[in-house]
PDB file of all heavy atoms in Angstrom:
ATOM      1  N   TRP A 196      80.470 101.918 131.991  1.00 98.00           N
ATOM      2  CA  TRP A 196      79.069 101.723 131.475  1.00 98.00           C
ATOM      3  C   TRP A 196      78.944 102.304 130.092  1.00 98.00           C
ATOM      4  O   TRP A 196      79.497 103.385 129.791  1.00 98.00           O
ATOM      5  CB  TRP A 196      78.094 102.355 132.417  1.00 98.00           C
ATOM      6  CG  TRP A 196      76.663 102.267 131.984  1.00 98.00           C
ATOM      7  CD1 TRP A 196      75.946 101.160 131.798  1.00 98.00           C
ATOM      8  CD2 TRP A 196      75.797 103.382 131.705  1.00 98.00           C
ATOM      9  NE1 TRP A 196      74.659 101.489 131.448  1.00 98.00           N
ATOM     10  CE2 TRP A 196      74.521 102.822 131.336  1.00 98.00           C
ATOM     11  CE3 TRP A 196      75.941 104.785 131.684  1.00 98.00           C
ATOM     12  CZ2 TRP A 196      73.453 103.661 131.010  1.00 98.00           C
ATOM     13  CZ3 TRP A 196      74.871 105.581 131.329  1.00 98.00           C
ATOM     14  CH2 TRP A 196      73.645 104.995 131.003  1.00 98.00           C
ATOM     15  N   LEU A 197      78.205 101.589 129.236  1.00 98.00           N
ATOM     16  CA  LEU A 197      77.871 102.095 127.875  1.00 98.00           C
ATOM     17  C   LEU A 197      76.364 101.991 127.706  1.00 98.00           C
ATOM     18  O   LEU A 197      75.792 100.904 127.738  1.00 98.00           O
ATOM     19  CB  LEU A 197      78.606 101.262 126.841  1.00 98.00           C
ATOM     20  CG  LEU A 197      78.303 101.585 125.371  1.00 98.00           C
ATOM     21  CD1 LEU A 197      78.634 103.009 125.014  1.00 98.00           C
ATOM     22  CD2 LEU A 197      79.042 100.600 124.466  1.00 98.00           C
ATOM     23  N   SER A 198      75.670 103.125 127.597  1.00 98.00           N
ATOM     24  CA  SER A 198      74.240 103.125 127.447  1.00 98.00           C
ATOM     25  C   SER A 198      73.811 102.579 126.100  1.00 98.00           C
ATOM     26  O   SER A 198      74.586 102.577 125.141  1.00 98.00           O
ATOM     27  CB  SER A 198      73.710 104.572 127.606  1.00 98.00           C
ATOM     28  OG  SER A 198      74.063 105.367 126.472  1.00 98.00           O
ATOM     29  N   ASP A 199      72.560 102.194 125.989  1.00 98.00           N
ATOM     30  CA  ASP A 199      72.065 101.701 124.680  1.00 98.00           C
ATOM     31  C   ASP A 199      72.170 102.796 123.619  1.00 98.00           C
ATOM     32  O   ASP A 199      72.549 102.473 122.504  1.00 98.00           O
ATOM     33  CB  ASP A 199      70.633 101.224 124.822  1.00 98.00           C
ATOM     34  CG  ASP A 199      70.482  99.942 125.679  1.00 98.00           C
ATOM     35  OD1 ASP A 199      71.505  99.375 126.005  1.00 98.00           O
ATOM     36  OD2 ASP A 199      69.346  99.585 125.992  1.00 98.00           O
ATOM     37  N   ARG A 200      71.780 103.977 124.005  1.00 98.00           N
ATOM     38  CA  ARG A 200      71.822 105.102 123.015  1.00 98.00           C
ATOM     39  C   ARG A 200      73.254 105.318 122.526  1.00 98.00           C
ATOM     40  O   ARG A 200      73.480 105.504 121.311  1.00 98.00           O
ATOM     41  CB  ARG A 200      71.274 106.386 123.681  1.00 98.00           C
ATOM     42  CG  ARG A 200      71.424 107.627 122.813  1.00 98.00           C
ATOM     43  CD  ARG A 200      70.639 108.797 123.319  1.00 98.00           C
ATOM     44  NE  ARG A 200      71.056 109.231 124.674  1.00 98.00           N
ATOM     45  CZ  ARG A 200      70.573 110.343 125.173  1.00 98.00           C
ATOM     46  NH1 ARG A 200      69.759 111.152 124.542  1.00 98.00           N
ATOM     47  NH2 ARG A 200      70.973 110.696 126.441  1.00 98.00           N
ATOM     48  N   ASP A 201      74.204 105.338 123.432  1.00 98.00           N
ATOM     49  CA  ASP A 201      75.587 105.564 123.015  1.00 98.00           C
ATOM     50  C   ASP A 201      76.132 104.360 122.272  1.00 98.00           C
ATOM     51  O   ASP A 201      76.924 104.537 121.328  1.00 98.00           O
ATOM     52  CB  ASP A 201      76.442 105.881 124.244  1.00 98.00           C
ATOM     53  CG  ASP A 201      76.185 107.266 124.851  1.00 98.00           C
ATOM     54  OD1 ASP A 201      75.630 108.109 124.124  1.00 98.00           O
ATOM     55  OD2 ASP A 201      76.517 107.465 126.019  1.00 98.00           O
ATOM     56  N   PHE A 202      75.711 103.178 122.655  1.00 98.00           N
ATOM     57  CA  PHE A 202      76.210 101.958 121.952  1.00 98.00           C
ATOM     58  C   PHE A 202      75.811 102.022 120.497  1.00 98.00           C
ATOM     59  O   PHE A 202      76.677 101.836 119.602  1.00 98.00           O
ATOM     60  CB  PHE A 202      75.637 100.735 122.632  1.00 98.00           C
ATOM     61  CG  PHE A 202      75.749  99.459 121.801  1.00 98.00           C
ATOM     62  CD1 PHE A 202      77.012  98.962 121.482  1.00 98.00           C
ATOM     63  CD2 PHE A 202      74.609  98.836 121.322  1.00 98.00           C
ATOM     64  CE1 PHE A 202      77.106  97.792 120.650  1.00 98.00           C
ATOM     65  CE2 PHE A 202      74.689  97.697 120.516  1.00 98.00           C
ATOM     66  CZ  PHE A 202      75.964  97.137 120.221  1.00 98.00           C
ATOM     67  N   VAL A 203      74.533 102.224 120.179  1.00 98.00           N
ATOM     68  CA  VAL A 203      74.126 102.177 118.782  1.00 98.00           C
ATOM     69  C   VAL A 203      74.703 103.390 117.981  1.00 98.00           C
ATOM     70  O   VAL A 203      75.033 103.237 116.800  1.00 98.00           O
ATOM     71  CB  VAL A 203      72.573 102.131 118.598  1.00 98.00           C
ATOM     72  CG1 VAL A 203      72.066 100.829 119.253  1.00 98.00           C
ATOM     73  CG2 VAL A 203      71.897 103.319 119.267  1.00 98.00           C
ATOM     74  N   HIS A 204      74.853 104.502 118.657  1.00 98.00           N
ATOM     75  CA  HIS A 204      75.464 105.644 118.047  1.00 98.00           C
ATOM     76  C   HIS A 204      76.940 105.343 117.658  1.00 98.00           C
ATOM     77  O   HIS A 204      77.377 105.616 116.566  1.00 98.00           O
ATOM     78  CB  HIS A 204      75.422 106.878 118.930  1.00 98.00           C
ATOM     79  CG  HIS A 204      76.270 108.046 118.529  1.00 98.00           C
ATOM     80  ND1 HIS A 204      76.217 108.572 117.276  1.00 98.00           N
ATOM     81  CD2 HIS A 204      77.224 108.721 119.224  1.00 98.00           C
ATOM     82  CE1 HIS A 204      77.127 109.574 117.154  1.00 98.00           C
ATOM     83  NE2 HIS A 204      77.731 109.667 118.343  1.00 98.00           N
ATOM     84  N   LEU A 205      77.678 104.722 118.568  1.00 98.00           N
ATOM     85  CA  LEU A 205      79.016 104.336 118.329  1.00 98.00           C
ATOM     86  C   LEU A 205      79.132 103.346 117.156  1.00 98.00           C
ATOM     87  O   LEU A 205      79.974 103.475 116.284  1.00 98.00           O
ATOM     88  CB  LEU A 205      79.664 103.771 119.557  1.00 98.00           C
ATOM     89  CG  LEU A 205      81.087 103.232 119.439  1.00 98.00           C
ATOM     90  CD1 LEU A 205      82.030 104.310 118.956  1.00 98.00           C
ATOM     91  CD2 LEU A 205      81.588 102.622 120.755  1.00 98.00           C
ATOM     92  N   MET A 206      78.241 102.345 117.149  1.00 98.00           N
ATOM     93  CA  MET A 206      78.258 101.358 116.072  1.00 98.00           C
ATOM     94  C   MET A 206      77.968 102.007 114.725  1.00 98.00           C
ATOM     95  O   MET A 206      78.583 101.628 113.689  1.00 98.00           O
ATOM     96  CB  MET A 206      77.208 100.286 116.352  1.00 98.00           C
ATOM     97  CG  MET A 206      77.548  99.388 117.539  1.00 98.00           C
ATOM     98  SD  MET A 206      79.044  98.399 117.363  1.00 98.00           S
ATOM     99  CE  MET A 206      80.216  99.388 118.315  1.00 98.00           C
ATOM    100  N   GLU A 207      77.091 103.005 114.716  1.00 98.00           N
ATOM    101  CA  GLU A 207      76.828 103.730 113.474  1.00 98.00           C
ATOM    102  C   GLU A 207      78.052 104.512 113.014  1.00 98.00           C
ATOM    103  O   GLU A 207      78.375 104.512 111.781  1.00 98.00           O
ATOM    104  CB  GLU A 207      75.590 104.611 113.681  1.00 98.00           C
ATOM    105  CG  GLU A 207      75.057 105.165 112.363  1.00 98.00           C
ATOM    106  CD  GLU A 207      73.681 105.792 112.523  1.00 98.00           C
ATOM    107  OE1 GLU A 207      72.970 105.493 113.460  1.00 98.00           O
ATOM    108  OE2 GLU A 207      73.293 106.538 111.613  1.00 98.00           O
ATOM    109  N   CYS A 208      78.713 105.176 113.954  1.00 98.00           N
ATOM    110  CA  CYS A 208      79.905 105.934 113.616  1.00 98.00           C
ATOM    111  C   CYS A 208      80.989 104.982 113.030  1.00 98.00           C
ATOM    112  O   CYS A 208      81.697 105.324 112.061  1.00 98.00           O
ATOM    113  CB  CYS A 208      80.485 106.615 114.817  1.00 98.00           C
ATOM    114  SG  CYS A 208      79.500 107.994 115.409  1.00 98.00           S
ATOM    115  N   CYS A 209      81.123 103.778 113.585  1.00 98.00           N
ATOM    116  CA  CYS A 209      82.126 102.840 113.130  1.00 98.00           C
ATOM    117  C   CYS A 209      81.870 102.425 111.674  1.00 98.00           C
ATOM    118  O   CYS A 209      82.764 102.104 110.911  1.00 98.00           O
ATOM    119  CB  CYS A 209      82.116 101.581 114.020  1.00 98.00           C
ATOM    120  SG  CYS A 209      82.855 101.834 115.611  1.00 98.00           S
TER     121      CYS A 209
END
Side-chain angles (χ1 to χ4, degrees):
W196 178 63
L197 176 59
S198 71
D199 291 351
R200 172 169 61 171
D201 288 341
F202 165 65
V203 296
H204 167 52
L205 176 58
M206 292 296 100
E207 192 166 341
C208 290
C209 286

